[in-house]
Amino acid sequence: MGNNINNNGHPFSMYFDLINGKSENKVSSKRLLSQMKGMFFNQKAYESALEKEDKMVYEFYELDLPSTDGNLLFGTSIVYPGKIGDEYHMTKGHFHTILDTAEVYYCLSGEGYLMMENPEGDWKAEKFTPGQAVYAPGRYAHRSINTGTEPLVTFFVFRSDAGHDYGTIETKGFRHLVVEQDGKEKIIENPNWKES
Amino acid sequence: MGNNINNNGHPFSMYFDLINGKSENKVSSKRLLSQMKGMFFNQKAYESALEKEDKMVYEFYELDLPSTDGNLLFGTSIVYPGKIGDEYHMTKGHFHTILDTAEVYYCLSGEGYLMMENPEGDWKAEKFTPGQAVYAPGRYAHRSINTGTEPLVTFFVFRSDAGHDYGTIETKGFRHLVVEQDGKEKIIENPNWKES
């Protein structure tokens, strides 16, 4: 695969465009609408959007470094603009498997939010605008949401052994959604959120 | 101090200009020429440059998060263009105190190198140009060097408990220098390098 960096612990470098986030000669991981079943609030809108087109919702670059607490993984995430019903395009979102490990996002272009919440229910939606670095501390699940009209591009870094727990969010959802109401973005409680 | 982020483990965000790296309302740490005694190869050129002006060689933003293996520190580093003798402006450079922890640098503007070497003598100078992400693996000392005419601006991330060992480089130096020879940048062996 294009991103297989078998660097054997040696220095290396990779290019990511500072505006569109693309890495030449690298293969990104793509998330199509069909891969996001059950993630959006409005199921009917999801089904009818999918009938029209299995569009790409987001893509990101993955590295393949040894899973240790000393290595860091990094890359760019690109969330394309759009909505499913009133809900803005977003990533699936995840906890880290090693729960208490942080992640840093640096916004290169576009706008939106990093939605974060911890298991106890503390939550915060930090605004993404170009130049804004957002800190997702350990214990906080995080999801990128594009509320703009251009791709939302972020550069991210996290510990290589952190791991991704997508299952908890797939089952329970996030406690809050970002939707468009009367032409404006609004953060609302998720009516579908499950306590456990 | 302006960078005292007592976030108590909660999400937060910080702004860094995507071109010049500046963070409004934050106080940067500044490294003046007078603080870099013994770092440049040409001592005579250093002394006479210092007599003329105690110029700022570089500055960077520090965060103050709890020192744990789950937290990440991030910010920008700005190395100003210039030379001392034939040697380009650079940062002091350091190992991490927890040696086997990596650091990621993402170049926002300017050009130069990240010079890296490990205790066994393996070394590499990775080129910084806008959009280039450079990986300093665990065990590699690293120093940013500005070979261009504009400030070299990078966004960096490392583990909050990694710590900085500046002493080893202050005593031994790096094995290689980046200098200008006949109007071109060149990587040469450091005649002053000490084995131990």
Side-chain angles (χ1 to χ4, degrees), chain B residues 1-192:
Chain B
M1 304 297 283
N3 298 325
N4 219 309
I5 306 284
N6 188 1
N7 75 322
N8 282 318
H10 291 290
F12 67 92
S13 74
M14 270 178 77
Y15 175 80
F16 300 97
D17 186 281
L18 278 158
I19 301 294
N20 66 33
K22 300 276 187 177
S23 190
E24 287 155 21
N25 309 321
K26 306 286 172 187
V27 180
S28 70
S29 298
K30 293 165 178 64
R31 291 290 174 265
L32 305 178
L33 191 57
S34 56
Q35 296 170 286
M36 296 194 68
K37 193 171 165 62
M39 308 301 290
F40 291 97
F41 170 65
N42 188 332
Q43 275 295 326
K44 219 177 252 180
Y46 173 82
E47 296 296 345
S48 85
L50 189 56
E51 252 171 60
K52 245 172 56 188
E53 185 199 357
D54 190 10
K55 62 183 172 181
M56 202 196 314
V57 181
Y58 65 102
E59 60 182 317
F60 57 100
Y61 292 92
E62 291 180 297
L63 286 178
D64 183 16
L65 291 177
S67 174
T68 69
D69 66 8
N71 274 318
L72 298 169
L73 296 181
F74 59 93
T76 49
S77 159
I78 306 163
V79 184
Y80 292 97
K83 284 181 296 175
I84 300 298
D86 296 331
E87 194 175 8
Y88 294 102
H89 277 189
M90 62 196 188
T91 62
K92 288 184 170 189
H94 59 267
F95 286 95
H96 289 159
T97 310
I98 302 180
L99 192 61
D100 202 11
T101 55
E103 184 156 351
V104 175
Y105 287 83
Y106 186 47
C107 182
L108 304 180
S109 64
E111 59 181 298
Y113 291 93
L114 191 67
M115 177 62 77
M116 294 171 273
E117 68 172 46
N118 70 9
E120 291 73 35
D122 185 55
W123 70 281
K124 196 165 183 192
E126 287 280 357
K127 188 87 181 132
F128 274 139
T129 51
Q132 204 68 24
V134 176
Y135 191 67
R139 313 193 81 258
Y140 281 78
H142 38 282
R143 156 182 289 172
S144 297
I145 302 166
N146 184 344
T147 58
T149 55
E150 303 295 324
L152 170 64
V153 182
T154 54
F155 180 79
F156 60 78
V157 181
F158 61 97
R159 240 173 64 183
S160 74
D161 62 344
H164 291 82
D165 163 19
Y166 289 104
T168 304
I169 294 300
E170 277 170 9
T171 308
K172 301 176 65 169
F174 274 79
R175 285 169 171 85
H176 294 84
L177 311 176
V178 184
V179 298
E180 186 178 285
Q181 278 186 0
D182 308 320
K184 287 181 187 165
E185 63 195 44
K186 203 175 165 190
I187 298 172
I188 62 167
E189 293 197 358
N190 178 3
N192 286 354

